[in-house]
């Protein structure tokens, strides 16, 4: 159960504490923020409503702790990360239970998220030891006009304080995908969890606490975006922001100072299906890609662009699989569970009604109970419908029938987003040519889009983000190059 056993000290009464200076604390604001369970639509948990004063304090201590941490040997940093990973995995059950209650993630997927996060932390430790243990050595005489009188030594040094802001859909995993690289690289870390998912994040942070990280190195502040959101992202003590979420990230990018940014802001991932595709494979991937976690993934398949000649057969195959999806509470491990909030459900419904009014073919009847929306495939979607362009973040999937590959590529590239896309064909040459033409950070051939495995590069173009993620890229992004140049006297010793 949340807040029990080893997690007892993170709760006071019915309000979870925030983490600062290596301690669990109550905010002097005396205020709290309620977390609504998407399934019951009733308050489930409460977290501290931290104020700007608490933010100032964590920034101050993060700065001091980082200086010492940067001097801690790399192998020791790695050792602590491995310890945190093991503790996190050991306590996967209560953390997964928080995910079920806060974000209505199906029970098994919630456990998978925690285990994947432990693996990610361990991989960061191993990768960090490898890539941060190496530097470069350059000599001057490769550049015109220079003699061999300068030797340049470069290494990677930390940026300072990293601010991590994960989204509701992977509050634990997308938090550790920022925390792991930041810490192994010698940075300190301030975490601002999403409201839905905050309690799971606090439990995860406690695993780092139990592992014995130095005081002040990791902090976690909860509260209202209106009170501490801009204050955090514009704070002069922040040296790097790693954010995953919606278009709030665009506003953050405009306001943040001259610091490195890593932004992942959603997608409208297209699935292009050619005539020669294995349609059974496509149908399974559309189900997995479009409907897992009820479509609430930035990498979900969000529009199917299928050649007219195979569209009917494909739609029938997908319809048959949609009929088998189980719909209900996350505790029962249903495939389709309530979407995260009522406002999200209302937004999805708006897209469905717009498509209905403009003549899309409904392959199932539209059904909604509270935040629970039944899976819906919309065929014959036209470009004037909102669902053709907007991301529903729900179990609604549009199908657009195309008559040429060019039409599919054109639709994909006309999107404001450019996260991932996928192509289904047996012709690898065509797949490569289409991949080259698609303006997305990643193209999957014969599989649905996905971020993982977590060491693969992960990046979006256009409104989908800035910078590249994945473990190696994140470690590199959270460091800067430091050079030391040795200038030799001339003339040098003669050889031989
Ligand atoms: O929602 C955004 C996530 O980065 C997607 O991750 O592909 O593992 O579901 P995923």
């Amino acid at each position: 159960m949340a807040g029990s056993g080893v997690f007892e000290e993170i709760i006071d009464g019915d309000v979870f504490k925030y983490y600062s200076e290596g301690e669990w604390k109550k905010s002097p604001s005396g205020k709290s923020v309620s977390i609504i369970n998407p399934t019951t639509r009733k308050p489930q948990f409460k977290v501290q409503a931290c104020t700007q004063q608490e933010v100032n304090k964590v920034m101050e201590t993060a700065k001091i702790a980082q200086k010492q941490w940067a001097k801690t040997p790399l192998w020791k940093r790695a050792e602590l990360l491995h310890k945190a990973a093991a503790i996190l995995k050991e306590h996967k059950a209560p953390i997964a239970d928080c995910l079920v209650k806060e974000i209505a993630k199906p029970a098994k997927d919630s456990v998978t998220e925690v285990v994947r996060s432990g693996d990610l932390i361990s991989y960061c430790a191993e990768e960090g030891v490898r890539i941060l243990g190496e530097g470069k050595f350059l000599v001057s005489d490769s550049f015109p006009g220079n003699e061999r009188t300068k030797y340049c030594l470069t290494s990677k040094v930390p940026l300072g304080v990293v601010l991590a802001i994960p989204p509701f859909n992977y509050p634990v995993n997308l938090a550790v995908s920022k925390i792991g690289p930041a810490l192994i690289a010698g940075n300190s870390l301030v975490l601002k969890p999403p409201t839905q998912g905050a309690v799971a994040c606090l439990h995860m942070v406690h695993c780092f606490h139990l592992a014995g990280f130095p005081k002040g190195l990791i902090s976690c502040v909860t509260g209202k975006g209106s009170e501490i959101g801009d204050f955090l992202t514009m704070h002069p003590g922040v040296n790097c922001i790693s954010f995953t979420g919606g278009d709030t990230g665009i506003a953050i990018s405009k306001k943040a100072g001259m610091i490195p940014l890593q932004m992942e802001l959603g997608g409208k991932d297209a699935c292009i299906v050619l005539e020669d595709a294995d349609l059974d494979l496509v149908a399974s991937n559309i189900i997995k890609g479009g409907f897992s976690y009820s479509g609430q993934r930035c990498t979900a398949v969000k529009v199917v662009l299928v050649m007219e000649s195979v569209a009917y057969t494909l739609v029938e195959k997908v319809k048959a699989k949609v009929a088998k999806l189980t719909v209900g509470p996350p505790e029962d491990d249903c495939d389709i569970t309530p979407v995260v909030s009522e406002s999200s459900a209302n937004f999805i419904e708006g897209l469905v009604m717009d498509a209905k009014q403009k003549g899309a073919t409904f392959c199932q009847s539209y059904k909604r109970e509270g935040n629970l929306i039944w899976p819906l495939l919309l065929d014959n979607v036209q470009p004037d419908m909102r669902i053709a362009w907007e991301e529903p973040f729900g179990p609604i999937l549009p199908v657009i029938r195309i008559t040429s590959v060019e039409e599919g590529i054109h639709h994909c590239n006309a999107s404001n987003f450019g996260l991932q896309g996928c192509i289904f064909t047996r012709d690898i040459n065509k797949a490569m040519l289409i991949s080259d033409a698609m303006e997305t950070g990643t193209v999957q051939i014969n599989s649905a889009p996905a971020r993982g495995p977590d060491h693969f590069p992960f990046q979006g173009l256009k409104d989908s983000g800035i910078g590249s993620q994945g473990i190696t890229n994140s470690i590199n992004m959270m460091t800067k190059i430091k050079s030391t140049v040795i200038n030799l006297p001339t003339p040098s010793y003669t050889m031989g």
Side-chain angles (χ1 to χ4, degrees):
M1 214 182 78
S4 63
V6 294
F7 297 106
E8 244 170 29
E9 65 176 295
I10 77 170
I11 193 165
D12 177 65
D14 63 346
V15 186
F16 283 88
K17 298 182 200 167
Y18 79 103
Y19 189 62
S20 168
E21 297 175 279
E23 288 170 24
W24 291 98
K25 297 182 178 179
K26 291 197 281 178
S27 166
S29 76
K31 291 185 188 152
S32 62
V33 178
S34 263
I35 296 166
I36 307 296
N37 180 322
T39 311
T40 62
R41 292 190 290 153
K42 296 199 171 107
Q44 179 74 47
F45 298 123
K46 284 184 200 161
V47 292
Q48 305 290 322
C50 291
T51 65
Q52 298 180 354
Q53 283 68 44
E54 282 101 85
V55 169
N56 279 336
K57 189 71 201 165
V58 299
M59 291 300 171
E60 194 186 304
T61 49
K63 192 171 177 180
I64 297 166
Q66 191 271 326
K67 302 273 181 237
Q68 200 52 41
W69 181 242
K71 289 187 197 144
T72 304
L74 192 46
W75 66 265
K76 275 196 185 172
R77 287 187 236 154
E79 202 172 70
L80 274 175
L81 281 167
H82 280 301
K83 200 168 167 195
I87 296 170
L88 186 72
K89 284 186 177 180
E90 185 189 336
H91 298 293
K92 60 182 183 287
I95 301 175
D97 191 50
C98 296
L99 294 173
V100 168
K101 294 196 169 79
E102 287 184 283
I103 62 164
K105 185 167 273 196
K108 273 191 201 146
D109 293 348
S110 295
V111 173
T112 305
E113 174 170 345
V114 183
V115 174
R116 173 183 180 182
S117 302
D119 292 339
L120 197 159
I121 297 168
S122 292
Y123 198 105
C124 285
E126 288 163 17
E127 185 71 347
V129 169
R130 281 192 288 268
I131 64 175
L132 299 167
E134 285 183 0
K136 263 192 177 178
F137 172 60
L138 293 90
V139 289
S140 50
D141 62 340
S142 55
F143 198 86
N146 283 273
E147 298 298 321
R148 200 182 184 90
T149 52
K150 291 174 188 286
Y151 293 164
C152 177
L153 304 167
T154 74
S155 63
K156 288 173 183 153
V157 296
L159 296 176
V161 179
V162 174
L163 172 63
I165 309 181
F168 81 83
N169 62 347
Y170 285 96
V172 174
N173 184 260
L174 282 169
V176 303
S177 76
K178 305 170 191 317
I179 297 172
L183 294 183
I184 192 66
N187 299 288
S188 58
L189 194 288
V190 175
L191 175 67
K192 166 65 179 78
T195 300
Q196 306 284 144
V199 174
C201 273
L202 292 169
H203 282 70
M204 174 271 294
V205 167
H206 193 54
C207 296
F208 282 84
H209 172 81
L210 294 173
F213 278 84
K215 285 186 195 316
L217 187 71
I218 306 166
S219 315
C220 183
V221 285
T222 52
K224 294 196 172 112
S226 54
E227 168 74 14
I228 56 169
D230 276 357
F231 192 73
L232 268 165
T233 55
M234 295 165 73
H235 200 285
V238 171
N239 303 111
C240 167
I241 301 175
S242 179
F243 172 93
T244 308
D247 49 18
T248 313
I250 297 177
I252 293 175
S253 307
K254 286 180 180 156
K255 289 184 212 162
M258 203 170 67
I259 54 172
L261 300 176
Q262 191 180 45
M263 297 271 155
E264 200 262 278
L265 315 177
K268 183 73 183 172
D269 293 6
C271 171
I272 299 180
V273 185
L274 305 194
E275 284 111 334
D276 69 341
D278 173 344
L279 296 184
D280 290 312
L281 178 73
V282 183
S284 322
N285 274 277
I286 286 177
I287 293 294
K288 183 178 76 167
F291 296 104
S292 55
Y293 188 37
S294 307
Q296 297 174 109
R297 296 165 54 237
C298 55
T299 49
V301 168
K302 297 207 179 96
V303 59
V304 177
L305 302 163
V306 54
M307 291 297 282
E308 179 71 59
S309 58
V310 291
Y312 175 81
T313 315
L314 179 65
V315 167
E316 287 305 305
K317 284 181 188 289
V318 177
K319 265 164 75 174
K321 287 186 185 293
V322 167
K324 289 188 187 148
L325 291 173
T326 53
V327 181
E331 286 82 356
D332 293 352
D333 209 34
C334 290
D335 299 313
I336 304 295
T337 54
V339 295
V340 71
S341 65
E342 191 173 346
S343 62
S344 176
N346 291 344
F347 175 77
I348 296 163
E349 187 163 291
L351 294 177
V352 172
M353 292 309 140
D354 174 78
K356 185 174 188 180
Q357 195 203 336
K358 292 174 182 160
T361 306
F362 278 52
C363 299
Q364 298 80 21
S365 315
Y366 173 65
K367 188 174 170 192
R368 170 182 171 186
E369 277 172 17
N371 296 351
L372 187 60
I373 295 178
W374 269 251
L376 177 60
L377 190 69
L378 297 171
D379 196 4
N380 295 303
V381 163
Q382 301 299 321
D384 66 333
M385 298 175 189
R386 288 175 57 203
I387 192 71
W389 305 104
E390 296 180 40
E391 54 170 351
F393 241 65
I396 311 296
L397 184 60
V399 176
I400 298 180
R401 295 171 177 229
I402 54 172
T403 51
S404 69
V405 169
E406 287 76 8
E407 197 184 335
I409 295 169
H410 175 77
H411 187 94
C412 169
N413 292 352
S415 170
N416 288 341
F417 293 109
L419 189 59
Q420 292 206 0
C422 58
I423 307 160
F424 286 87
T425 174
R426 289 184 168 94
D427 184 335
I428 189 66
N429 295 333
K430 269 193 192 164
M432 289 305 297
L433 291 171
I434 298 169
S435 170
D436 280 351
M438 285 168 79
E439 293 168 357
T440 62
T442 303
V443 175
Q444 304 269 350
I445 297 172
N446 291 324
S447 186
R451 171 167 48 110
D454 289 324
H455 65 304
F456 279 14
F458 180 54
Q459 56 280 314
L461 309 181
K462 300 189 271 186
D463 286 354
S464 287
I466 311 173
S468 184
Q469 298 174 69
I471 291 169
T472 313
N473 287 340
S474 291
I475 294 173
N476 284 329
M477 183 267 172
M478 292 175 184
T479 56
K480 58 192 167 195
I481 303 288
K482 171 78 188 277
S483 307
T484 303
V485 180
I486 303 167
N487 290 276
L488 301 171
T490 46
S492 58
Y493 292 111
T494 39
M495 309 268 190

